[in-house]
Amino acid sequence: MKKVAVIIGSGGQDGTLLTRKLKSLNYEVIGIKRGDIDLLNIEDVSELIHSKQPDEVYHLAAYHHSSEDSVNNEVEIFKRSIDVHAISVNNLLDAIDKHKNNCRFFYASSCLIFEGSDKKLLTENSPYSFENFYAISKISGGSLIKYYRDNKKIFACSGFLFNHESSLRTENYLSKKITSFVAQVNKSSKQKLILGSLDMKVDWGYAPDYVDAFWRILQNSSPDDYIVATGVKNSVKDFVKTAFEHVNLDYRDYVIVDPSILNRINHTRIGSAEKLMKNTGWKPSIDFFEMVRVLVDKEIESFKSS
């Protein structure tokens, strides 16, 4: 009999990649995109779990806010963050407890819940940061995971996700901005790529590897919380240099640094996936430099076919 999986946020990068993976494993996948059901309505959520009887639920939905978004009222930002990252989590876990308590639940948390550190790798026990509503709401969602795991005996797990990229990223992501530019520029072009910084350090991973980690976490013998990261620090300059060199160009001829376009301070966060590797056998399939080259190749392929 096929396993049944519900993916909340199936239309995003991770949801799309996870859908592909699970279907390759012969799962029946029920994708929930924005607007499909009201996750804040406990009756609707209860009906979803009761009728579909899923073996696994993946909560990948997230509310991101930037200074360019139309909503800038802090009260509204906090409400939307809590709705997506906590209230919907509680409704799903409550429904699982009532209607399918052997269902396994994965919650996509974020490295942004941790305090930044340039000196040591972050672990699952590193101190939390409460510097913005996104972090606060993600911490709230993770607290619900622990509550239902400890008190209701639900197989519920959090994955603390560090930066992970694929060709499915949208243009507002740095990786897409760089690789899309590189794919379309030619040697005689006078176009310029404007970036806020080349010095920022990031733990970058390959998104298909990360969704493999989501699945592995739910196949484990017992529920727990895990950092999903590479543990390797690379700069924006490393990304840019690798991308341009892949098409035999010098990034210095095209890149302009303008710090004024940055709308927030980016703290360095590098994660240790030692616990994940030990307990699930997970490991990245490609390194940072190969990932950048893969992303550039996919952008070139997409550009030529458009």
Side-chain angles (χ1 to χ4, degrees):
M1 182 180 292
K2 282 187 175 183
K3 280 189 175 182
V4 177
V6 169
I7 301 177
I8 309 296
S10 61
Q13 169 189 263
D14 293 356
T16 301
L17 292 171
L18 182 60
T19 297
R20 293 174 186 172
K21 177 177 179 61
L22 295 184
K23 285 186 175 180
S24 76
L25 296 172
N26 202 35
Y27 276 67
E28 177 187 345
V29 177
I30 300 162
I32 306 297
K33 299 178 181 179
R34 183 182 299 176
D36 284 349
I37 72 166
D38 183 1
L39 293 172
L40 304 182
N41 185 318
I42 198 162
E43 292 180 356
D44 289 354
V45 175
S46 184
E47 173 59 24
L48 171 69
I49 301 302
H50 182 258
S51 62
K52 301 302 182 183
Q53 291 289 295
D55 299 288
E56 298 169 6
V57 172
Y58 296 85
H59 188 297
L60 310 182
Y63 173 66
H64 297 279
H65 176 267
S66 75
S67 62
E68 297 179 0
D69 289 339
S70 58
V71 177
N72 285 303
N73 179 287
E74 285 199 336
V75 173
E76 183 62 21
I77 293 168
F78 180 66
K79 181 183 181 302
R80 293 193 183 191
S81 299
I82 285 292
D83 283 349
V84 175
H85 304 150
I87 303 301
S88 66
V89 174
N90 184 67
N91 289 348
L92 285 159
L93 288 168
D94 177 71
I96 287 170
D97 181 43
K98 290 175 179 174
H99 302 297
K100 190 70 162 65
N101 65 4
N102 64 337
C103 174
R104 298 186 170 198
F105 187 90
F106 176 84
Y107 175 60
S109 188
S110 169
C111 67
L112 297 178
I113 71 168
F114 297 114
E115 292 181 0
S117 175
D118 197 22
K119 295 181 172 61
K120 59 183 179 180
L121 295 180
L122 295 169
T123 72
E124 291 80 4
N125 298 317
S126 293
Y128 286 167
S129 167
F130 300 90
E131 66 184 33
N132 56 60
F133 290 138
Y134 183 84
I136 292 168
S137 59
K138 283 288 189 181
I139 291 168
S140 299
S143 298
L144 288 165
I145 295 294
K146 291 182 178 179
Y147 172 82
Y148 277 89
R149 186 167 66 214
D150 295 343
N151 295 282
K152 304 291 187 177
K153 307 308 176 188
I154 302 298
F155 195 111
C157 309
S158 290
F160 307 115
L161 312 182
F162 284 65
N163 294 63
H164 50 291
E165 314 300 331
S166 79
S167 60
L168 298 174
R169 281 298 195 201
T170 54
E171 295 292 341
N172 57 320
Y173 281 86
L174 179 62
S175 62
K176 186 75 165 187
K177 184 177 181 179
I178 296 168
T179 56
S180 178
F181 182 93
V182 169
Q184 297 180 55
V185 76
N186 61 63
K187 292 181 181 180
S188 61
S189 173
K190 294 183 179 180
Q191 287 179 286
K192 299 297 180 183
L193 174 62
I194 303 173
L195 301 175
S197 170
L198 292 179
D199 299 325
M200 185 175 66
K201 308 290 196 308
V202 181
D203 184 331
W204 265 302
Y206 189 43
D209 291 338
Y210 281 50
V211 300
D212 175 57
F214 306 170
W215 177 77
R216 285 173 180 265
I217 286 169
L218 291 197
Q219 312 317 305
N220 215 10
S221 59
S222 58
D224 208 340
D225 304 323
Y226 295 92
I227 278 180
V228 188
T230 69
V232 179
K233 177 169 57 179
N234 286 288
S235 67
V236 175
K237 180 179 177 181
D238 294 328
F239 198 120
V240 170
K241 187 171 183 289
T242 303
F244 276 88
E245 284 182 348
H246 190 51
V247 293
N248 299 313
L249 296 175
D250 188 332
Y251 77 94
R252 291 170 294 187
D253 295 331
Y254 300 93
V255 175
I256 295 174
V257 176
D258 179 6
S260 69
I261 70 172
L262 295 176
N263 55 35
R264 64 174 181 268
I265 297 173
N266 292 288
H267 300 291
T268 300
R269 295 178 175 89
I270 313 299
S272 169
E274 181 179 353
K275 177 180 171 183
L276 175 66
M277 293 177 178
K278 179 180 178 182
N279 288 5
T280 71
W282 178 84
K283 63 179 180 179
S285 65
I286 59 177
D287 67 13
F288 167 79
F289 299 100
E290 185 177 353
M291 178 194 75
V292 174
R293 291 190 287 267
V294 167
L295 296 184
V296 170
D297 285 342
K298 286 186 177 293
E299 286 301 309
I300 292 172
E301 189 178 310
S302 176
F303 180 61
K304 286 180 177 178
S305 62
S306 63

